[in-house]
Amino acid sequence: MADQLTNLFPFWLLLIGAIALRWPQIFIGLNQGNLPVLILTLIMLGMGLTLSLDDFRRVGRLPRAVLTGFCAQYLIMPFLGWAIAAALRLPPALAVGLILVGTCPGGTASNLITYIARADVALSVVMTLASTLAAVVMTPVLTQFLAGAYVPVNGWLLFAQTLQVVILPVAIGVALNRWAPRLVRQVLPIAPLLSVVGICLICAATFSANAEAILQQGRQMLLGVFLLHSLGFALGWCFAKLCGYSQAIARTIAIEVGMQNSGLAIILARQAFPLLPLAAAVGAISGVMHSLIGSFLAVIWRSQVQRQPEATSPHNSLTM
């Protein structure tokens, strides 16, 4: 049942987003204190629980594919965010939010979408790990470079925040996996579902805090976010195919590029740009959008694999 509920991730995001916009008072309490930061920290801890030292060694065994995905992640999405913001002439808050989403690493939801698409889940997990670890440097540097034309960006603050909510919880999770395996085995079956609940709560908090502004400027945000993720999926696939990879790997890279860690984008926007609340709202809409596009593509690709099973050789050992 936990797996079935987890697979409905896009539905839960849509449902809770609609409720938060219609009745924002229900979730407004989630914005108090550092609760959203705590929730994201627990989500990243859950990701760390699924990782072992062997997963880090696998990065070295898949250097070319991981490097391709890494380059696609940090070349395509950040500059797409900047280009779309400039082309649509978005106001500073929306532009910064879109750029920040683009500079964030791949999200753990990409592993689930890769599994549904019957692509290469093992590669997806390694790519998520690589981009997440690199985010502590890449996200602050790229955000400062690309968003600095809109507002002042404190790169060191972003660095410290990314370190706090990404690297430290993942490291603790890996340590628990190594030194308390029995406890980890008890938690793992529900960890993906808890991550889904956590992301939904973070998005609900952001929607409720900015409900009126989102409803007023929703069209611009939806268009910008839709272009960012749809082009991210498309260019990620094209990039992989130009590098000569199979359909399974190309789809994996496309999913990893197109799906960002929107929860991280929300938290960083809330902390680094408190005077631009709509920047965090862009991240919340991003979480819904990339899940919907990714799920749609996954169903199409899965049906193609079922019709032509010999065309690809996916690895469906799902790790969240």
Side-chain angles (χ1 to χ4, degrees):
M1 181 177 292
D3 287 341
Q4 291 173 348
L5 292 174
T6 301
N7 289 343
L8 291 173
F9 177 46
F11 170 76
W12 302 130
L13 271 179
L14 275 176
L15 178 62
I16 202 166
I19 294 173
L21 289 175
R22 179 63 180 85
W23 298 285
Q25 66 275 11
I26 296 176
F27 300 105
I28 199 68
L30 293 174
N31 292 286
Q32 296 179 354
N34 290 322
L35 185 57
V37 178
L38 177 61
I39 293 173
L40 180 64
T41 301
L42 292 175
I43 292 172
M44 300 309 298
L45 174 63
M47 176 183 174
L49 291 177
T50 69
L51 300 172
S52 67
L53 295 179
D54 287 338
D55 292 307
F56 290 87
R57 296 188 186 104
R58 282 165 55 196
V59 175
R61 298 179 195 143
L62 299 168
R64 186 169 177 264
V66 173
L67 181 61
T68 301
F70 183 89
C71 291
Q73 173 75 46
Y74 284 115
L75 286 176
I76 292 174
M77 293 303 282
F79 289 95
L80 261 183
W82 171 81
I84 292 169
L88 297 180
R89 297 182 180 179
L90 295 179
L94 302 188
V96 169
L98 199 65
I99 291 170
L100 187 56
V101 168
T103 62
C104 280
T108 54
S110 63
N111 306 151
L112 172 63
I113 297 300
T114 301
Y115 174 73
I116 296 172
R118 292 193 173 182
D120 195 326
V121 178
L123 176 61
S124 175
V125 171
V126 174
M127 286 176 56
T128 301
L129 172 62
S131 66
T132 298
L133 294 178
V136 71
V137 173
M138 299 300 292
T139 297
V141 169
L142 288 170
T143 301
Q144 188 171 31
F145 175 67
L146 296 172
Y150 294 94
V151 295
V153 179
N154 188 331
W156 284 111
L157 176 62
L158 279 173
F159 172 82
Q161 292 166 345
T162 309
L163 182 68
Q164 174 189 350
V165 298
V166 174
I167 301 301
L168 292 181
V170 168
I172 292 172
V174 173
L176 287 173
N177 196 0
R178 173 67 178 86
W179 300 110
R182 185 174 300 178
L183 174 63
V184 170
R185 282 196 296 269
Q186 294 176 341
V187 174
L188 278 184
I190 61 170
L193 180 58
L194 293 177
S195 296
V196 167
V197 172
I199 290 295
C200 287
L201 290 176
I202 291 174
C203 289
T206 304
F207 279 138
S208 65
N210 304 282
E212 184 177 350
I214 290 173
L215 292 174
Q216 290 177 351
Q217 302 190 47
R219 289 184 180 180
Q220 276 189 307
M221 278 191 281
L222 283 173
L223 178 58
V225 171
F226 173 76
L227 289 174
L228 175 68
H229 290 295
S230 58
L231 290 174
F233 280 105
L235 293 177
W237 185 87
C238 292
F239 188 84
K241 292 303 290 183
L242 286 174
C243 292
Y245 288 108
S246 66
Q247 286 284 8
I249 293 180
R251 290 168 179 173
T252 303
I253 292 176
I255 292 169
E256 197 65 26
V257 172
M259 300 189 70
Q260 301 294 90
N261 191 332
S262 299
L264 177 61
I266 294 171
I267 298 305
L268 293 180
R270 290 168 65 105
Q271 293 187 328
F273 306 105
L275 299 181
L276 301 174
L278 282 181
V282 174
I285 292 176
S286 165
V288 179
M289 187 67 71
H290 75 208
S291 298
L292 290 174
I293 298 173
S295 299
F296 177 74
L297 288 174
V299 170
I300 294 176
W301 285 338
R302 183 184 182 92
S303 65
Q304 292 176 348
V305 172
Q306 289 172 337
R307 289 197 302 267
Q308 297 177 319
E310 73 281 358
T312 58
S313 178
H315 306 281
N316 290 337
S317 53
L318 177 63
T319 307
M320 286 298 292

